[in-house]
Amino acid sequence: MKNLSWIVYAVSLLLLQGTWSRGELLSPRLDLVKIPSEPTPSMRVSEVRPGMRGVCLTVFSGTKIEPFEVEVISVIERSGPGQAVIWMHSEDPRMLVTGPVQGMSGSPVYLWDGEEPNDPDDERLGGGRLIGAFAYGYANTKGCLIGVQPIEQMVPVGERIGKAPVDYARGARRALDTVGSGLASVEADAGTEARCAAWLSVLSPWTAGGPARGGVVFNDSLRPMSLPVTGLSKRFLELGLPLEVGGGLELVADGGSVGPPPAWIDPDAKLEPGSAFVVPLTTGDLDLAGVGTTTDVRPDGTVLAFGHSMNGEGSSALPMATGYVHFIVPSRGNSFKRGTPLRVAGTLLQDETAAVAGRAVLEHTMATMRVAVSMPGQPDRSYAYQVARHPYYTPLLSMICAARSLAAEQMPPVESTTRYAIDFSFDDGRTLAVKNTSVSGSFALYSTMMPVIASAMSNPYEPLRLSSVDVDLEVTEGVRTAELLGARLAKSTLEPGEEAVVYVEVRRYKGEAETVRLVIPVPEGTAEGQYQLFVGGRASHLMRIMRSQPHRMEIRGLDDLFTVIDEIENTPAEGLYGMLIAEGGGLAVGRQSLPDLPSSVRASITSSGQASVFSEVVTSRAELDLEIFGEYPLMLTVTKP
């Protein structure tokens, strides 16, 4: 069914830049679920007939729940295995303007037994019985068609809460696939591309080659619907970051920001049928929240919403909150609600195809994040966030918070360099510090934070949970890079134990050419012959290491992963590297290099398939305040005295 209609995922994900403290409004309140004493009277799919009329409840503005009339036009009994969808249309003038609205997913639909209200005195529902939730729709069509998820398919979702523990590794493949796809598409400087290539070699054994995409597009009016991600400025989206947010999300540049709720908004609004149902994913100076609608509250306090999945991961643990609607944005394509969270009211505990379900309990946690930014011409600023701990969302949201902080007041100067220091902390006490420099600050944050957090949280050995992230960003004017023009050896023939002196010509960005002296030792015991010698920047160094010594990128456990991360991310971007390579001279088992061995032992280990052959690499680095782009090859002859 998802390929035959766009899903009104009315989980419209709203990125809203906050300008006020949310501490009080988002403090947990466990008395905000309006629990009935009896189950809501409901109707089964088998009772539904074309021509039946009724009402749908939703919020058009503020927290006021309003009805609009609907009429049944058909029932598709087998839209999927054991699944049915009831199709209706609405002639309400508001719905004819907007069509189906993202944010209405979950809006409860109550049907009368015929064309007229069962109870004329019931001004809101007309005595109708609950049939299900607004969940599907068609875009770019005349009129307003509504697909309803039957309530009989939603109720069992809530009944399965607690039947299985939350698997925090669930979603790991999705996270790693998304990161891998994004890294493969990065178009930035050569240094960033080399790091992306290194990361791809790490992630490729754990991924399926890319994230799942949306459904098949049949024509303009019949297609899966993207979830709008609003609140980002146009200049932020113009950074060109490959934001593969997944789930059919669509980034919208609206530049919106939020403040305290208006005086007419009740901050203590409750979760009840037709109310806003919000899933806050980040809070603080940048808010990302999934905004949908509450379908029903069961007598045991279980809240049902959306009428479709958010992630479809089964057991879950994400925050569940009340909220309000600023207004509905009408569109010829995809109309959506502009909504905001109010107070956390519990935890979303179950996430399945037919619905999401939560209760007024606190079983979710958030990671804390601080970002400090120093920008020329601006006072130093610090931003604070809380990010939902989830293997798929946390890497993406943490990076967005950092990149948005960097561009919060203004874009960094076109010609600038960013120094970044990032400290990651995990629940098991492990920490990881990354410190480096880049001339493409936002891309550096993307290609650092996304893979580090995703691999730590979603690796197949020991998935970790992020506790906190501290990011320090210092932007300075000027591009501290240089192009490598050429190189020459002072002596092209040397003996073991001597030093190869290389004179390297580089040209600073918008500067003159200059010569840098680089010294590379020729180890004692080096055999006679010709050797490749390369000079270049960090990109050259990383690529030569990966090609010559692939065992250094081999990962068999969490300690190996952290070692590889350290090598990729903390190899200084600034400086001139020289690499002397002896082809095929080394032997390794796993990541461990073996010492010189008798030829018979070496042959035995090699033939057993337990070891890999690698090239010995002698590396030297000249300290420079420049990131070098380019590589130059040389040949060195080694002779015995």
Side-chain angles (χ1 to χ4, degrees):
M1 192 65 196
K2 292 183 180 180
N3 286 341
L4 296 177
S5 65
W6 60 262
I7 297 179
V8 179
Y9 274 108
V11 180
S12 55
L13 294 181
L14 307 178
L15 271 178
L16 307 170
Q17 184 186 358
T19 57
W20 60 298
S21 172
R22 289 191 169 278
E24 180 182 355
L25 283 184
L26 284 182
S27 60
R29 280 272 304 273
L30 301 182
D31 59 349
L32 298 178
V33 176
K34 191 173 183 179
I35 303 175
S37 58
E38 299 290 338
T40 304
S42 62
M43 181 181 293
R44 299 188 65 82
V45 175
S46 59
E47 300 179 64
V48 178
R49 298 290 183 271
M52 281 185 167
R53 299 176 63 83
V55 295
C56 180
L57 298 184
T58 198
V59 175
F60 287 88
S61 178
T63 59
K64 182 181 179 182
I65 300 170
E66 300 182 62
F68 63 89
E69 289 196 11
V70 295
E71 180 179 345
V72 176
I73 56 176
S74 187
V75 177
I76 299 178
E77 296 280 359
R78 294 289 183 267
S79 63
Q83 296 177 337
V85 174
I86 305 159
W87 283 97
M88 307 181 183
H89 71 92
S90 176
E91 297 295 328
D92 186 285
R94 296 166 296 184
M95 300 306 295
L96 291 178
V97 169
T98 64
V101 177
Q102 293 180 350
M104 286 188 179
S105 276
S107 298
V109 178
Y110 303 82
L111 287 181
W112 308 322
D113 293 334
E115 297 182 5
E116 300 297 330
N118 298 344
D119 181 0
D121 294 331
D122 183 349
E123 294 183 359
R124 173 181 276 190
L125 302 181
R129 288 181 287 159
L130 178 64
I131 184 58
F134 185 157
Y136 307 96
Y138 286 83
N140 300 318
T141 57
K142 295 179 180 179
C144 178
L145 293 173
I146 298 169
V148 174
Q149 181 78 259
I151 189 64
E152 64 196 80
Q153 296 170 185
M154 298 176 65
V155 170
V157 175
E159 294 172 346
R160 284 190 283 271
I161 288 177
K163 299 297 184 182
V166 178
D167 181 1
Y168 291 103
R170 199 189 305 267
R173 173 58 62 85
R174 182 183 173 199
L176 294 172
D177 283 352
T178 299
V179 172
S181 176
L183 292 175
S185 67
V186 165
E187 297 180 4
D189 59 81
T192 299
E193 289 175 354
R195 286 175 42 255
C196 290
W199 268 113
L200 287 172
S201 72
V202 171
L203 299 177
S204 58
W206 306 339
T207 64
R213 302 289 178 168
V216 178
V217 177
F218 293 94
N219 55 53
D220 281 344
S221 63
L222 193 59
R223 62 184 177 85
M225 182 64 175
S226 298
L227 302 178
V229 180
T230 68
L232 289 174
S233 67
K234 184 173 183 289
R235 68 170 184 261
F236 179 81
L237 296 182
E238 287 174 344
L239 291 173
L241 298 174
L243 300 176
E244 177 56 61
V245 288
L249 304 183
E250 181 179 349
L251 296 174
V252 179
D254 68 353
S257 62
V258 300
W264 59 86
I265 297 297
D266 178 8
D268 296 324
K270 293 181 180 293
L271 290 174
E272 59 180 302
S275 71
F277 182 105
V278 183
V279 183
L281 299 176
T282 71
T283 63
D285 289 311
L286 188 68
D287 289 342
L288 175 64
V291 179
T293 304
T294 305
T295 304
D296 191 33
V297 180
R298 310 296 290 172
D300 65 355
T302 298
V303 183
L304 300 174
F306 294 175
H308 55 67
S309 66
M310 184 169 177
N311 294 305
E313 59 192 4
S315 298
S316 186
L318 290 170
M320 174 181 77
T322 60
Y324 68 98
V325 176
H326 296 277
F327 47 82
I328 291 176
V329 180
S331 169
R332 291 193 181 95
N334 306 317
S335 300
F336 62 93
K337 289 184 180 182
R338 192 78 160 82
T340 298
L342 283 171
R343 289 186 186 273
V344 170
T347 302
L348 190 160
L349 296 168
Q350 199 71 13
D351 184 349
E352 299 185 19
T353 301
V356 298
R359 288 180 182 159
V361 294
L362 296 180
E363 296 185 10
H364 64 274
T365 55
M366 309 283 276
T368 60
M369 185 172 181
R370 179 196 64 86
V371 183
V373 179
S374 176
M375 181 84 68
Q378 294 283 351
D380 291 351
R381 288 183 169 87
S382 184
Y383 304 90
Y385 310 93
Q386 286 192 318
V387 180
R389 300 208 295 185
H390 185 279
Y392 178 72
Y393 290 125
T394 306
L396 174 69
L397 302 177
S398 299
M399 182 280 301
I400 287 178
C401 288
R404 185 63 184 88
S405 298
L406 182 62
E409 301 301 327
Q410 69 168 68
M411 294 289 285
V414 174
E415 296 187 354
S416 63
T417 300
T418 302
R419 296 188 181 278
Y420 57 92
I422 309 173
D423 293 316
F424 304 91
S425 297
F426 301 92
D427 276 3
D428 72 339
R430 287 180 184 262
T431 59
L432 179 66
V434 171
K435 188 175 183 179
N436 228 312
T437 302
S438 177
V439 293
S440 55
S442 296
F443 284 97
L445 292 174
Y446 182 96
S447 58
T448 295
M449 297 186 69
M450 290 275 285
V452 167
I453 298 174
S455 61
M457 295 186 71
S458 304
N459 71 83
Y461 310 108
E462 185 182 341
L464 302 177
R465 302 190 70 197
L466 185 70
S467 175
S468 65
V469 186
D470 284 339
V471 183
D472 288 287
L473 304 172
E474 180 187 2
V475 180
T476 57
E477 292 182 342
V479 177
R480 291 198 293 274
T481 64
E483 176 189 6
L484 196 157
L485 301 176
R488 63 180 177 84
L489 281 162
K491 291 176 61 178
S492 59
T493 301
L494 295 172
E495 297 177 2
E498 293 186 324
E499 293 180 331
V501 178
V502 187
Y503 294 98
V504 184
E505 188 176 13
V506 300
R507 179 165 48 225
R508 291 176 180 262
Y509 177 74
K510 292 186 176 180
E512 301 295 328
E514 59 185 87
T515 300
V516 179
R517 183 174 182 269
L518 179 65
V519 177
I520 306 171
V522 179
E524 296 283 357
T526 301
E528 289 187 313
Q530 288 194 316
Y531 293 85
Q532 289 182 309
L533 192 154
F534 296 92
V535 294
R538 177 177 63 166
S540 171
H541 170 74
L542 286 176
M543 294 304 295
R544 291 296 161 192
I545 291 297
M546 285 192 294
R547 292 173 183 174
S548 301
Q549 301 184 335
H551 67 284
R552 289 172 62 174
M553 294 293 167
E554 186 171 337
I555 298 173
R556 298 186 179 181
L558 198 58
D559 290 339
D560 289 345
L561 173 62
F562 273 56
T563 299
V564 171
I565 291 175
D566 181 73
E567 182 155 9
I568 294 174
E569 296 299 335
N570 287 322
T571 297
E574 295 179 333
L576 178 66
Y577 290 83
M579 293 144 286
L580 179 63
I581 299 177
E583 295 290 345
L587 201 65
V589 174
R591 289 181 48 83
Q592 184 63 46
S593 301
L594 300 180
D596 290 336
L597 298 171
S599 58
S600 59
V601 176
R602 180 184 177 92
S604 175
I605 295 176
T606 303
S607 63
S608 70
Q610 298 176 0
S612 59
V613 177
F614 67 89
S615 299
E616 297 282 2
V617 179
V618 178
T619 301
S620 181
R621 175 175 172 268
E623 293 279 353
L624 292 175
D625 65 344
L626 299 170
E627 184 171 359
I628 305 297
F629 293 145
E631 181 183 76
Y632 199 86
L634 297 164
M635 292 299 295
L636 177 68
T637 301
V638 176
T639 62
K640 295 292 185 180

